[in-house]
């Protein structure tokens, strides 16, 4: 994954080497999206919805 990013940058994607700045930003955004770990994880099941709890008896002050 990072090898593909580096290859594209070396191909002329970096603005310092005459590449397009907007194309470089897209490359960086794509790399960051792929390298950012998912907060849930790839193999975790989706969260189950919580059933509403029944209202308990209310307390009154003596």
């Amino acid at each position: 994954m990072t090898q593909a990013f580096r290859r594209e940058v070396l191909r002329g994607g970096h603005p310092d080497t005459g590449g397009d700045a907007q194309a470089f930003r897209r490359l960086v955004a794509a790399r960051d999206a792929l390298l950012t770990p998912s907060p849930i994880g790839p193999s975790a099941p989706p969260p189950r919805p919580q059933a509403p709890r029944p209202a308990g008896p209310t307390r009154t002050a003596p």
Side-chain angles (χ1 to χ4, degrees):
M1 181 171 21
T2 56
Q3 289 176 351
F5 172 76
R6 290 179 184 152
R7 182 175 51 243
E8 289 298 317
V9 169
L10 289 175
R11 233 186 251 177
H14 198 280
D16 289 346
T17 59
D20 184 21
Q22 187 174 9
F24 181 70
R25 280 189 226 115
R26 283 186 301 216
L27 280 172
V28 171
R31 182 202 56 186
D32 290 344
L34 291 172
L35 292 178
T36 303
S38 172
I40 296 175
S43 62
R48 293 181 10 190
Q50 295 285 335
R53 295 185 179 184
T58 58
R59 289 185 164 179
T60 57

